[in-house]
Amino acid sequence: MYPVSEAYKNAISQNERNVRIAGTITLKDNSVIQIDDEDILQGSLYFTEQCVSGEDIEVGNVYASELGFTLTAPPANPYILDGARVVINFGIETSEGVWEYVPLGYFYVTDIERKNTAVSLKALDGMILLDVDLSGVLTMGTPYELITSCCTKAGITLTTTSSAFNTFANGNKIFTLPSDSKVQTCRDLIMWLCQLMGAFARMNRLGQLEIVPIKAS
């Protein structure tokens, strides 16, 4: 859960509320495009996240959340948006003239579809940054050490602490990735480790990796 103020909770519970979207698109050359409600086709914005593929509880999942929307005034060459980082914030007016924002996450454009003068974008969260090979990554150590090594290579932050790992099943044991393993990427390795710990991985709203144990309710 993302922390919000009591004023936010009160505003979001009202039948009538003023909301808006504000965010940025950072291109691969580090130039930044500011976007808000006026730039997004009404009704086109969606956000989905999950930790299981269906109704059954599964361990070891490393699903990426998805964000999509249609830009009404895209760049002249919309394909410069490929791989761009998108940060979207949802804002609500908590009192007259006062707005509080909640980030939806950090996403990376994977699909671009031109529609007349508009462009529809689909973006996945930072989990896709872990789809890189294991060269230079530790393959023997504790789950915390191995996952930290994966995050270092992918350039993302692991927000789950080593002390938290020690509370997970097998969290403080040393593992060696078998030589005949089918694990090929950092994401695969994290999935394998999560299975060993009875956990799943997700990216939080600040673009950081979290390892979450599955617990009985």
Side-chain angles (χ1 to χ4, degrees), residues 1-211:
M1 298 293 290
Y2 187 82
V4 295
S5 69
E6 289 300 321
Y8 182 100
K9 295 176 184 178
N10 179 64
I12 202 73
S13 67
Q14 302 303 310
N15 292 328
E16 295 185 7
R17 48 189 180 264
N18 293 327
V19 299
R20 64 188 183 191
I21 294 294
T24 59
I25 301 176
T26 303
L27 306 182
K28 289 183 176 180
D29 64 2
N30 291 322
S31 57
V32 178
I33 301 172
Q34 302 286 335
I35 56 175
D36 57 28
D37 295 290
E38 295 183 358
D39 302 302
I40 298 174
L41 181 67
Q42 186 175 5
S44 69
L45 179 66
Y46 70 88
F47 169 60
T48 61
E49 61 181 347
Q50 64 187 71
C51 63
V52 296
S53 59
E55 296 181 356
D56 296 330
I57 298 297
E58 301 170 326
V59 296
N61 288 327
V62 287
Y63 289 112
S65 296
E66 181 178 316
L67 177 78
F69 58 92
T70 298
L71 284 176
T72 56
N77 176 15
Y79 298 103
I80 65 173
L81 298 171
D82 183 43
R85 187 183 72 192
V86 180
V87 180
I88 294 289
N89 300 290
F90 172 82
I92 189 167
E93 190 174 30
T94 55
S95 60
E96 186 174 356
V98 178
W99 293 80
E100 183 173 344
Y101 289 89
V102 171
L104 297 183
Y106 287 56
F107 300 84
Y108 299 84
V109 176
T110 57
D111 291 283
I112 302 169
E113 182 181 357
R114 189 194 294 268
K115 294 182 177 180
N116 298 321
T117 60
V119 168
S120 294
L121 302 177
K122 184 178 81 172
L124 299 177
D125 71 20
M127 195 67 72
I128 65 171
L129 300 178
L130 291 160
D131 290 331
V132 292
D133 64 56
L134 295 174
S135 60
V137 173
L138 293 177
T139 54
M140 183 179 71
T142 65
Y144 176 77
E145 292 169 340
L146 299 184
I147 293 176
T148 296
S149 183
C150 289
C151 289
T152 297
K153 175 158 186 176
I156 62 178
T157 299
L158 174 63
T159 190
T160 307
T161 64
S162 59
S163 58
F165 270 83
N166 290 336
T167 67
F168 301 163
N170 298 318
N172 57 1
K173 293 184 178 180
I174 295 177
F175 295 99
T176 301
L177 185 67
S179 58
D180 60 349
S181 169
K182 295 182 180 180
V183 170
Q184 297 181 342
T185 68
C186 288
R187 190 170 175 179
D188 292 339
L189 180 55
I190 292 174
M191 178 185 293
W192 180 69
L193 292 164
C194 283
Q195 289 173 345
L196 294 171
M197 294 185 292
F200 66 91
R202 68 184 177 194
M203 302 300 295
N204 68 16
R205 291 173 183 257
L206 298 178
Q208 303 164 328
L209 182 69
E210 293 181 343
I211 307 300

